[in-house]
Amino acid sequence: MEIFLEHSFTQLALILLKSAVGTHTQDINIKTYKTIDPQIYKTILALKEDYQHSWNLDEMARVARLSKFQFAHYFKDILGISPYSWLQTYRVVRSQEMLKKTNKTILKISMDCGFSSVTVYNQLFKRLYGITPGTFREMVNK
């Protein structure tokens, strides 16, 4: 039952992210993980501080001081999504401020946020929010 609830909270958070495009902060609160799981907290903090970096699983696992295999499974057990999915979601969240407050191109924003391509960024943004980054920018700048 506990695992189900943990996953439910993660799924709820993702649903809230999806339905609240542009209305939430440019950050994801991770304070609860500081007491729940310091290893995961430390890793998420490192990902947040350097979200533009092209992280790989080995680097993430090293921060958590776990093997790559242990880390991937442990992270998903705790958060309900893979470490890479969490990082990509965080990058999208951070990109919203740039879309709202700068005139940077969407390509430049996607690269500044650590995406491997503008296509990946556009697809993930649309999957999370149901609109493209360009449409989001038009909506907030009306």
Side-chain angles (χ1 to χ4, degrees):
M1 179 70 168
E2 186 177 316
I3 290 174
F4 173 76
L5 290 176
E6 287 173 6
H7 292 293
S8 296
F9 289 128
T10 301
Q11 294 303 321
L12 176 61
L14 291 174
I15 289 168
L16 289 174
L17 275 175
K18 186 173 183 174
S19 64
V21 63
T23 61
H24 52 81
T25 65
Q26 66 170 359
D27 204 353
I28 295 175
N29 187 351
I30 63 167
K31 287 180 187 171
T32 56
Y33 294 105
K34 192 171 189 174
T35 53
I36 293 172
D37 195 302
Q39 272 179 302
I40 293 297
Y41 175 79
K42 184 179 175 184
T43 306
I44 293 172
L45 194 58
L47 295 174
K48 285 177 67 172
E49 288 173 356
D50 198 10
Y51 68 94
Q52 305 94 337
H53 176 70
S54 59
W55 287 88
N56 62 45
L57 200 53
D58 285 322
E59 292 170 321
M60 293 178 201
R62 215 173 340 209
V63 173
R65 295 187 173 157
L66 295 169
S67 75
K68 182 166 59 171
F69 179 77
Q70 288 173 314
F71 173 72
H73 288 288
Y74 188 60
F75 191 100
K76 189 164 185 174
D77 284 345
I78 299 296
L79 274 84
I81 59 174
S82 74
Y84 190 69
S85 293
W86 187 93
L87 178 59
Q88 292 291 73
T89 301
Y90 184 72
R91 287 172 171 163
V92 169
V93 168
R94 291 299 303 262
S95 76
Q96 289 184 74
E97 280 302 301
M98 288 184 224
L99 289 167
K100 286 193 267 186
K101 296 182 178 178
T102 72
N103 290 322
K104 290 181 180 181
T105 66
I106 293 175
L107 171 63
K108 178 76 172 131
I109 291 171
S110 69
M111 296 295 115
D112 287 352
C113 288
F115 286 95
S116 59
S117 75
V118 70
T119 303
V120 170
Y121 172 60
N122 283 329
Q123 289 172 346
L124 184 57
F125 196 101
K126 187 165 185 167
R127 192 175 323 138
L128 284 173
Y129 298 122
I131 57 174
T132 64
T135 302
F136 170 78
R137 178 178 262 171
E138 289 171 13
M139 288 171 50
V140 297
N141 291 327
K142 282 186 180 178

